[in-house]
Structures are given as C-alpha cells and as structure tokens.
C-alpha cells in the first residue's frame, strides 16, 4: 500500500514538472505553451456554459440546481451533474478546463490552451455552427495581434478540434415545422447536415487545423425523453429519428475518409458513440449503472419529461434520484458525469474499432511537419 502511494506521488510530481516544462515565456511575459490546444465545437453534449451568456430559452440553459451538483457543487451551465466529455479529454491532455468562449474573463493566455464554442440547441442547419466558426476567427485575430502569425499558426496546427453536431437537426423536424425537412428526402436532409459540418471542417483546415476528433450520432432516439414520445408505447425508441441517425452514421465516415485523401495532413479520430452509448443503455449493470433508461432528474414516466431544476417553469415539479452514480442519464436527454468519464476514456485511448483511425491520445501526441 505504501509503495503504491509512493508511486502515485512520484507520478504526480513528474507529470507536474513535465507540464510546467512544456510552457515557454515570451519577452512580453505572455505564456506560449508547447502543449496542443483543444478547440471544441458542438451542441449541448459539449456546452460548458456558453448559453449562460446568451439570450435563449430556459430549456437550453443549465445554470440552475441540481446541475453541477457532483464535482463543481454549483451550476456551471453544463447539462450534467458534473463534468462533460471535453473536461475529461482536457484532463487527459494535461490541459486546464476548457472554458466557454463567451466567458468574459477569457484572454489570450487561455486561448492558447483552447476554448469551447459549443452551445446547447446548436445545429448544423440553424446558423449556429457558422457562428461558432466566426467566433473562432475572432480568437485567431486576437492571438495573431499579440503572438504574431508564426506562433498562432503553430498553435492552430498542433491543436485538436473536437466536434459533435447534428442531433438537434435530426429531432427538430418532429417538434416544429422544418421547410428544409419537408421539401427534401430524408437522405438529402442528412446530406445538408453533413455538408454544412464539412464546410466548417474545411474552413478550419484552411486556417491551419490538421487534427480533428468526432463522435458519430448517439442513440438519442432511445434517451428517456424519446422513450416517452409515443405515450402508447412507453419505453420504445423513437423510430423516425432513428432512421436519420442511421443515415448520418453511415454517410459521415465516408466524408471523413474523402477529406483525409484530399487534404494533405488531415488526420482524424471518429468515436463510435452510437455503439458505446447503446451498450450502456441496454446493459447498464455491465458498466456499473443500475438504470440505463430512466433519468436521475425529471418527472413523468422514466423521468423523461424535461423538468429537472424547474427548467420549464416553477409550476412543474421534478424528482431527483438519491445516488446519481447509479444512473446513465442525469436528465431526460443528457448523461451523468460517470457516463461522460467512461465515454471520454474510449475517445481518448480506445482501440481502432471503437475510435479510429486515430484515438485522441494519438492525435495529441502526433507531430505533423
């Protein structure tokens, strides 16, 4: 036991020294790091609090209790009881927590480590993804003005760009009128979502990005909220969305392979999020959960109504589970910190059949010339 503790202490000290050693000071006393930065683009799965700073509907905000109860002990804007997937990725990469882009205290000393542009409710078709790109260009402008073109180019070429986008696009047509969905075939609609995403990836490549991480579309048709959409079939997955998700997951890998063949130096990691989450929904005990289909926080059948924290008004009460670590889902649609940690480990160091052709650990270590 003592030996094990000693080894842990030695490793911590070594890692700390290594991390400090990767930072160089410039003449103007601004820090420039040799560590690869992490820039995050996406929706509520990755939103670390950007929606705290924008005027949006309450259902797209999570700066209310009991969100954040586990690690932060207070709401942060993350739609979970604690940390998200990018938080664990940053930890594995020896980076600080990646803050929301709209956080007022941000500056260039933070930007060199990365920033998240993810926003709950974002999609590829609703104009939010191009907005994230514009925000990234503002970060580029800020860095170039202080660090110069050469250093900024190095930061961007070494960085990893993590994406998750599209889930809102595939559910929106079933809760509101969508002219794009109604006037096109399902296959063409999926092509629009992937095409808009691809355009942003290509633009980031032009700006110097070379290393990209992606999650395919998860089984959102089987989240607690989806399991109660058809009140005559409580517990059944929502098939209309499942069809679009399946099309996306078939087409998107083909696009990434094309990009790798056409863009010199383009490297990517694609995690099979659909499989990893489906396995936990259907076999929760195998992964240390007691509940795979019922949410910890919410109301109604399976706690699938999105009332956690009175998000849709004080008149709607909600239930909160006693032990959040027993649950895969924290609220009607989003995962617990425990689940995020497990998924993040698969993205970070998973085998090629889980995350490939690279995993994120390999991308962070990859030195491109």
């Amino acid at each position: 036991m003592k030996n094990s503790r000693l080894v842990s202490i030695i490793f911590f000290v070594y890692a700390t020294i290594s991390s400090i050693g990767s930072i160089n000071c410039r003449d103007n006393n601004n820090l420039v790091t040799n560590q690869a930065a992490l820039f995050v683009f996406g929706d509520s799965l990755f939103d670390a609090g950007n929606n705290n700073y924008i005027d949006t509907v309450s259902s797209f905000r999570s700066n209310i209790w009991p969100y954040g109860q586990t690690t932060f002990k207070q709401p942060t804007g993350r739609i979970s009881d604690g940390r998200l997937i990018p938080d664990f990725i940053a930890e594995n990469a020896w980076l600080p927590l990646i803050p929301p882009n709209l956080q007022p205290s941000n500056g260039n000393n933070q930007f060199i480590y990365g920033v998240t542009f993810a926003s709950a409710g974002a999609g590829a078709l609703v104009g939010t993804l191009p907005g994230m790109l514009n925000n990234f260009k503002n970060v580029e402008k800020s860095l170039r003005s202080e660090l110069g073109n050469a250093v900024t180019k190095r930061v961007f070429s070494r960085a990893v760009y993590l994406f998750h986008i599209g889930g809102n696009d595939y559910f929106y047509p079933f809760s509101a009128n969508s002219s794009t969905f109604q006037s096109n075939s399902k296959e063409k609609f999926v092509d629009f979502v992937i095409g808009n995403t691809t355009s942003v990836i290509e633009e980031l490549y032009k700006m110097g990005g070379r290393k990209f991480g992606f999650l395919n579309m998860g089984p959102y048709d089987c989240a607690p909220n989806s399991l109660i959409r058809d009140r005559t079939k409580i517990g059944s997955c929502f098939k209309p969305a499942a069809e679009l998700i399946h099309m996306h997951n078939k087409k998107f890998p083909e696009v990434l392979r094309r990009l790798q063949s056409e863009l010199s130096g383009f490297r990517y990691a694609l995690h099979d999020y659909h499989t990893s989450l489906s396995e936990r929904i259907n076999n929760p005990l195998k992964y240390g959960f007691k509940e795979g289909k019922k949410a910890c926080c919410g109301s109604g059948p399976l706690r699938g109504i999105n009332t956690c924290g009175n998000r849709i008004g004080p008149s709607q009460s909600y239930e909160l589970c006693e032990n959040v670590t027993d649950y895969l889902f924290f609220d009607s649609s989003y995962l617990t910190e425990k689940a995020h940690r497990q998924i993040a480990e698969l993205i970070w160091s998973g085998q090629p059949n889980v995350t490939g052709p690279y995993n994120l650990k390999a991308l962070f270590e990859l030195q491109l010339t």
Side-chain angles (χ1 to χ4, degrees):
M1 187 73 177
K2 289 182 179 179
N3 289 338
S4 175
R5 185 178 181 184
L6 178 61
V7 169
S8 296
I9 293 172
I10 292 172
F11 175 76
F12 174 78
V13 172
Y14 170 77
T16 302
I17 292 172
S18 297
S19 180
I20 293 172
S22 70
I23 299 174
N24 298 326
C25 289
R26 300 177 72 243
D27 292 337
N28 61 2
N29 292 323
N30 289 308
L31 294 177
V32 180
T33 179
N34 285 326
Q35 291 173 284
L38 177 63
F39 293 104
V40 181
F41 298 79
D43 50 29
S44 41
L45 185 68
F46 287 170
D47 185 359
N50 273 314
N51 279 22
N52 294 347
Y53 306 103
I54 62 176
D55 184 17
T56 186
V57 295
S58 59
S59 60
F60 288 154
R61 282 183 176 168
S62 297
N63 54 345
I64 48 175
W65 187 263
Y67 292 96
Q69 66 174 20
T70 298
T71 296
F72 303 103
K73 309 304 180 186
Q74 63 181 2
T76 65
R78 292 167 171 83
I79 309 185
S80 180
D81 63 299
R83 288 167 288 181
L84 306 180
I85 290 170
D87 296 324
F88 290 109
I89 297 299
E91 180 181 312
N92 285 334
W94 293 100
L95 292 168
L97 281 178
I98 305 301
N101 171 63
L102 298 179
Q103 183 173 283
S105 60
N106 285 340
N108 287 330
N109 284 351
Q110 173 57 53
F111 292 154
I112 60 172
Y113 293 105
V115 69
T116 176
F117 304 95
S119 173
L125 296 180
V126 295
T128 49
L129 188 55
M132 292 179 205
L133 180 59
N134 289 333
N135 288 335
F136 179 78
K137 289 179 178 180
N138 290 334
V139 169
E140 178 197 35
K141 182 178 179 181
S142 178
L143 286 174
R144 287 189 187 279
S145 67
E146 181 167 339
L147 305 179
N149 291 337
V151 175
T152 301
K153 182 178 179 180
R154 190 184 76 182
V155 170
F156 286 174
S157 66
R158 289 174 56 86
V160 172
Y161 301 80
L162 183 62
F163 274 77
H164 179 274
I165 200 78
N168 291 316
D169 296 298
Y170 295 137
F171 271 87
Y172 183 76
F174 306 112
S175 58
N177 290 328
S178 169
S179 58
T180 305
F181 184 75
Q182 294 171 353
S183 60
N184 291 279
S185 67
K186 293 177 181 178
E187 185 171 0
K188 192 68 174 177
F189 182 77
V190 172
D191 287 340
F192 281 136
V193 172
I194 294 177
N196 283 14
T197 304
T198 304
S199 295
V200 172
I201 296 168
E202 291 173 332
E203 189 65 26
L204 289 171
Y205 176 86
K206 292 177 183 177
M207 297 172 68
R210 292 296 182 268
K211 300 185 290 184
F212 294 81
F214 305 97
L215 282 67
N216 71 4
M217 209 52 56
Y220 302 125
D221 53 302
C222 298
N225 180 265
S226 295
L227 294 176
I228 66 169
R229 277 181 175 258
D230 185 344
R231 294 307 175 95
T232 66
K233 298 179 181 179
I234 297 293
S236 296
C237 299
F238 187 57
K239 289 185 178 180
E243 187 176 359
L244 298 176
I245 290 170
H246 176 74
M247 287 183 186
H248 177 100
N249 288 345
K250 183 178 180 181
K251 288 172 173 284
F252 192 51
E254 297 172 356
V255 171
L256 293 179
R257 287 192 290 268
R258 176 181 63 79
L259 290 176
Q260 182 164 263
S261 67
E262 294 177 355
L263 304 178
S264 176
F266 178 88
R267 300 290 184 270
Y268 71 92
L270 174 61
H271 173 61
D272 187 1
Y273 184 44
H274 193 278
T275 296
S276 59
L277 185 52
S278 294
E279 288 178 348
R280 286 160 175 78
I281 291 173
N282 297 318
N283 305 288
L285 293 177
K286 181 179 178 181
Y287 298 97
F289 302 99
K290 292 182 180 179
E291 292 285 355
K293 298 180 180 180
K294 183 178 182 179
C296 168
C297 186
S299 59
L302 302 176
R303 297 193 184 119
I305 300 176
N306 185 23
T307 54
C308 185
N310 298 126
R311 294 179 79 180
I312 59 176
S315 62
Q316 297 289 331
S317 61
Y318 66 93
E319 302 171 357
L320 181 65
C321 66
E322 290 186 6
N323 189 356
V324 67
T325 61
D326 288 340
Y327 289 76
L328 178 66
F329 285 91
F330 181 64
D331 70 4
S332 62
S333 300
Y334 301 103
L335 305 180
T336 58
E337 176 182 276
K338 178 179 176 180
H340 287 142
R341 181 191 292 273
Q342 291 184 10
I343 301 298
E345 285 302 315
L346 295 175
I347 298 170
W348 179 256
S349 58
Q351 296 299 309
N353 63 317
V354 176
T355 303
Y358 292 84
N359 55 38
L360 278 202
K361 181 176 186 292
L363 283 186
F364 270 96
E365 294 173 348
L366 184 63
Q367 301 289 331
L368 294 172
T369 58

